[in-house]
């Protein structure tokens, strides 16, 4: 059954004499469309009108199909853009862009979380990069990396966050299709902290906080390698030190007191050192000190000052005090020498002679022995 297009009393209803109704093919499951051609006078060739209407209907169908397709594409594109925007903002990596005028144009959520500034706050600064890199020279290198010489290789930078803490970060740069450079970074502060802790633990004696045996011997080898360099003026003294009567401290007051005595012993050595000494624990109560001096007399003077300090400030325990004593062997290296084992044997023999002849003294070894 049909439906009236207009009520009978409508002006157009009085004017219409004939018409052709043509269905436009379904555009989608829930949409229907029709084409109606109305005329104000009767026509003698309705079949021709139906053919014309069908042709017009087909054209309209094609046009509307294309329009719907475009709308669908626009919706899909909008959804994709929204997805990428969410990805950009929520990605657990640092992403930002700075233009040629040093203004920040992109600043994702991870940047705001890690550094503590919003995009608006960053761009309030005359030079936004100064917030992160107060040092002008460092800032210039960073600016070059994001403006003139971007690289896909990861580079380590140490920016400052809002609270003043310095971060360790890795950055690479990607040139986008419009020529803008996107900076992609990762905050590795915690990882670096863990690496530094592991490195510290691998090279440090847990009790005394001086170098362990392996680390101090590596430093000795490095010093010897430096002596081999042409025109090298490297010179240093090996001072091997052994705390006298340490077993008695453990036996009389316990191992905890013995540990405290070793800690105090190392603390006094550091206080007497000048320049850049390197102190390592070889084992037990025996230590090796690399002292930057060129004359055996300077090394002997160092051990004399150390003994005077122990005499002036005895090691104190809960109910007693003890003046620590030590024996030492000294060997000065002023010329190229690549036999680390030979040097250690010579200075160890000098230490043994000091202990054998009464302790509490320093014996100087010679490379000519």
């Amino acid at each position: 059954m049909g439906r009236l297009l207009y009520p009978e009393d409508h002006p157009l209803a009085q004017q219409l004499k004939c018409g052709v109704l043509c269905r436009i093919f379904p555009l989608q499951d829930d949409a229907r469309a029709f084409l109606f051609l109305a005329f104000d006078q009767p026509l003698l060739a309705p079949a021709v009108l139906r053919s014309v209407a069908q042709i017009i209907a087909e054209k309209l169908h094609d046009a509307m199909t294309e329009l719907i397709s475009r709308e669908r594409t626009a919706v899909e594109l909008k959804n994709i853009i929204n997805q990428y925007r969410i990805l950009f903002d929520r990605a657990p990596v640092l992403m930002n862009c700075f233009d040629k005028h040093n203004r920040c144009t992109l600043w994702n959520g991870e940047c705001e979380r890690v550094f503590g500034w919003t995009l608006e706050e960053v761009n309030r600064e005359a030079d936004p990069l100064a917030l992160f890199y107060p040092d002008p020279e460092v800032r210039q290198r960073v600016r070059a990396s994001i403006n003139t010489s971007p690289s896909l290789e990861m580079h380590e930078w140490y920016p400052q966050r809002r609270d003043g803490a310095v971060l360790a970060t890795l950055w690479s740069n990607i040139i986008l299709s419009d020529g803008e450079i996107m900076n992609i970074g990762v905050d590795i502060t915690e990882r670096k902290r863990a690496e530094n802790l592991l490195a510290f633990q691998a090279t440090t004696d847990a009790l005394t906080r001086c170098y362990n045996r392996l680390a101090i011997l590596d430093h000795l080898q490095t010093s010897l390698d430096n002596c081999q360099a042409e025109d090298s003026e490297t010179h240093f003294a090996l001072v091997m030190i052994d705390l006298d009567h340490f077993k008695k401290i453990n036996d009389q007051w316990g191992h905890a007191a013995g540990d405290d005595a070793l800690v105090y012993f190392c603390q006094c050595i550091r206080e007497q050192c000048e320049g850049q000494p390197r102190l390592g624990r070889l084992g037990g109560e025996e230590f090796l000190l690399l002292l930057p001096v060129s004359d055996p007399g300077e090394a002997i003077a160092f051990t004399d000052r150390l003994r005077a300090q122990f005499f002036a400030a005895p090691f104190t325990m809960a109910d007693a005090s003890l003046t620590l004593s030590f024996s030492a062997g000294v060997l000065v290296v002023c010329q190229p020498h690549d036999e680390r084992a030979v040097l250690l044997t010579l200075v160890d023999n000098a230490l043994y002679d000091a202990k054998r002849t009464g302790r509490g003294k320093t014996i100087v070894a010679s490379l000519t022995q």
Side-chain angles (χ1 to χ4, degrees), residues 309-320:
Q309 181 173 354
F310 288 141
F311 182 79
F315 168 64
T316 58
M317 292 166 284
D319 56 355

Side-chain angles (χ1 to χ4, degrees), residues 3 27 63 94 135 143 145 210-211 215 217 222 258 281 301 318 327-328:
R3 290 186 304 172
L27 300 172
L94 304 166
D135 187 314
R143 182 169 290 120
S145 74
C210 61
Y211 290 115
L217 293 182
T222 300
R281 186 182 183 188
S327 302

Side-chain angles (χ1 to χ4, degrees), residues 63-125:
M64 294 177 70
T65 300
E66 182 179 357
L67 180 61
I68 292 174
S69 176
R70 288 179 181 178
E71 290 179 351
R72 285 178 176 174
T73 301
V75 170
E76 292 173 358
L77 182 60
K78 183 178 180 180
N79 290 335
I80 293 174
I81 291 174
N82 287 336
Q83 290 173 359
Y84 276 104
R85 183 179 291 111
I86 293 172
L87 175 63
F88 173 80
D89 194 56
R90 298 182 183 178
V93 293
L94 304 166
M95 292 190 287
N96 59 58
C97 290
F98 287 82
D99 62 21
K100 299 297 183 180
H101 304 290
N102 300 323
R103 309 308 294 166
C104 185
T105 57
L106 288 176
W107 186 256
N108 77 334
E110 184 72 355
C111 284
E112 183 173 335
R113 186 189 69 81
V114 170
F115 292 111
W117 285 289
T118 65
L119 175 62
E120 292 75 15
E121 290 172 329
V122 169
N123 280 327
R124 285 176 194 157
E125 299 295 316

Side-chain angles (χ1 to χ4, degrees), residues 76-300:
E76 292 173 358
L77 182 60
K78 183 178 180 180
N79 290 335
I80 293 174
I81 291 174
N82 287 336
Q83 290 173 359
Y84 276 104
R85 183 179 291 111
I86 293 172
L87 175 63
F88 173 80
D89 194 56
R90 298 182 183 178
V93 293
L94 304 166
M95 292 190 287
N96 59 58
C97 290
F98 287 82
D99 62 21
K100 299 297 183 180
H101 304 290
N102 300 323
R103 309 308 294 166
C104 185
T105 57
L106 288 176
W107 186 256
N108 77 334
E110 184 72 355
C111 284
E112 183 173 335
R113 186 189 69 81
V114 170
F115 292 111
W117 285 289
T118 65
L119 175 62
E120 292 75 15
E121 290 172 329
V122 169
N123 280 327
R124 285 176 194 157
E125 299 295 316
D127 184 358
L129 285 179
L131 290 173
F132 313 99
Y133 303 97
D135 187 314
E137 293 184 4
V138 174
R139 189 161 66 249
Q140 184 177 0
R141 293 197 298 271
V142 172
R143 182 169 290 120
S145 74
I146 63 177
N147 284 340
T148 59
S149 56
S151 173
L152 287 175
E153 296 181 3
M154 302 296 288
H155 292 279
E156 198 164 317
W157 297 100
Y158 300 93
Q160 182 172 288
R161 55 177 291 153
R162 186 170 194 154
D163 60 9
V166 176
L167 305 175
T169 57
L170 283 176
W171 292 92
S172 66
N173 315 103
I174 298 175
I175 302 179
L176 304 179
S177 58
D178 61 357
E180 193 168 11
I181 297 172
M182 175 173 285
N183 311 299
I184 299 179
V186 181
D187 179 13
I188 60 169
T189 305
E190 291 303 320
R191 191 184 84 184
K192 292 291 289 187
R193 187 176 290 118
E195 289 175 355
N196 292 338
L197 177 60
L198 289 175
F200 176 80
Q201 293 173 339
T203 60
T204 305
D205 178 63
L207 174 64
T208 62
R209 290 295 190 260
C210 61
Y211 290 115
N212 59 24
R213 180 183 180 87
L214 179 62
I216 192 62
L217 293 182
D218 284 344
H219 283 297
L220 172 57
Q221 187 61 58
T222 300
S223 298
L224 293 175
D225 293 341
N226 291 337
C227 286
Q228 303 293 335
E230 188 176 351
D231 299 327
S232 172
E233 296 182 358
T234 300
H235 42 71
F236 62 96
L238 282 74
V239 183
M240 192 172 288
I241 306 172
D242 188 278
L243 186 60
D244 294 331
H245 308 296
F246 180 68
K247 185 176 184 301
K248 291 183 179 180
I249 299 176
N250 281 333
D251 291 344
Q252 185 171 352
W253 286 287
H255 289 280
D259 289 346
D260 291 342
L262 289 176
V263 172
Y264 177 74
F265 186 66
C266 291
Q267 177 184 339
C268 292
I269 293 175
R270 294 187 187 98
E271 290 175 358
Q272 289 298 327
C273 289
E274 298 177 357
Q276 296 295 324
R278 299 189 183 278
L279 175 66
R281 186 182 183 188
L282 295 177
E285 68 274 22
E286 190 173 80
F287 297 84
L288 179 64
L289 175 66
L290 305 181
L291 203 60
V293 299
S294 58
D295 184 87
E298 295 179 80
I300 294 174

